[in-house]
Amino acid sequence: QVTLRESGPALVKPTQTLTLTCTFSGFSLSTSGMCVSWVRQPPGKALEWLAVIDWDDDKYYSASLMTRLTISKDTSKNQVVLTMTNMDPVDTATYFCARINEGASGSTQFDHWGQGTLVTVPS
Amino acid sequence: SYVLTQPPSVSVAPGQTARITCGGNNIGSKSVHWYQQKPGQAPVLVVYDDSDRPSGIPERFSGSNSGNTATLTISRVEAGDEADYYCQVWDSGSDHFYVFGTGTKVTVL
């Protein structure tokens, strides 16, 4: 059974750095084809992809945010960490982590999601 | 960057068919995935690779993709289908590799 769970601060002040942790079970990020990604959703708005890390430690970022994002993994702890610098009120959103199992066919869908964590940046 | 456009809302009576479109440049050449999101919950994958269903998703959910439009079809709509729906593709040429649509609110009348 695959599960993912996000953790981190609910409130971050402007200009501070946000650190979120995704703790997962039911799969290993050392298995070929496995990836964990971060997606966010401002209140009442659409989903926005942020970053992904794969089993081979390859990392990809949204071009609009890549100067502020860092994604990393700790395979032994089954965790993926996302940091976002210089937080702003527009970064207020629910942040989700999600799994991609590329498998043999190069699948690109998010097949399992965490429940999300709401991060608020006050103005 | 690659843009996916969905209608903001679709309304449908119980028992009828809802069709949600996702428009993108030559989207027919890409694999399209669809997610259902109920208020306060995480998205759930309901269709992947244009028309495949994950285990546990009812056959009432189906998908198609051709040309510049992908479509999610919900047959025999139930009250529990009321939710936001998002399409998603992976675009290697985009600066946002994983692209989500603008989202569609499905209201069951």
Side-chain angles (χ1 to χ4, degrees):
Chain A
Q1 177 191 3
V2 173
T3 64
L4 303 99
R5 185 183 75 252
E6 306 86 354
S7 59
L11 190 68
V12 176
K13 294 180 180 179
T15 75
Q16 287 187 338
T17 294
L18 170 68
T19 299
L20 294 173
T21 300
C22 176
T23 303
F24 56 87
S25 63
F27 69 98
S28 173
L29 245 188
S30 61
T31 300
S32 178
M34 292 297 174
C35 312
V36 171
S37 195
W38 287 92
V39 175
R40 72 177 179 180
Q41 184 174 39
K45 296 188 177 181
L47 300 166
E48 178 186 18
W49 175 74
L50 300 177
V52 66
I53 188 166
D54 71 13
W55 75 100
D56 207 21
D57 210 33
D58 294 319
K59 304 161 188 176
Y60 301 93
Y61 299 96
S62 166
S64 59
L65 292 167
M66 68 182 306
T67 61
R68 300 173 53 206
L69 295 174
T70 302
I71 191 169
S72 62
K73 65 183 174 74
D74 186 331
T75 304
S76 65
K77 293 183 178 180
N78 281 350
Q79 291 182 333
V80 170
V81 174
L82 180 76
T83 62
M84 179 180 291
T85 61
N86 195 24
M87 292 291 285
D88 183 270
V90 300
D91 297 313
T92 293
T94 296
Y95 288 76
F96 298 96
C97 60
R99 188 189 81 160
I100 301 165
N101 180 1
E102 292 188 349
S105 58
S107 300
T108 58
Q109 67 271 19
F110 303 93
D111 63 354
H112 291 85
W113 295 68
Q115 84 280 6
T117 185
L118 176 62
V119 178
T120 301
V121 186
S123 55
Chain B
S1 61
Y2 195 75
V3 177
L4 295 174
T5 302
Q6 300 180 232
S9 63
V10 167
S11 298
V12 59
Q16 299 304 303
T17 298
R19 293 180 179 84
I20 305 162
T21 59
C22 176
N25 185 35
N26 197 27
I27 195 174
S29 67
K30 304 180 186 302
S31 289
V32 180
H33 318 301
W34 291 92
Y35 303 88
Q36 176 193 71
Q37 186 181 32
K38 297 182 178 179
Q41 297 184 19
V44 173
L45 181 69
V46 293
V47 166
Y48 66 97
D49 290 348
D50 297 340
S51 58
D52 291 333
R53 280 184 311 278
S55 61
I57 300 300
E59 292 183 5
R60 300 186 297 103
F61 290 83
S62 62
S64 62
N65 184 19
S66 178
N68 293 318
T69 304
T71 303
L72 174 69
T73 300
I74 311 172
S75 304
R76 302 179 300 283
V77 166
E78 303 174 354
D81 299 331
E82 186 163 290
D84 293 326
Y85 291 83
Y86 294 92
C87 56
Q88 177 250 316
V89 301
W90 180 78
D91 181 55
S92 60
S94 175
D95 50 5
H96 298 73
F97 296 99
Y98 297 89
V99 182
F100 288 96
T102 51
T104 298
K105 169 67 176 179
V106 170
T107 299
V108 181
L109 301 171

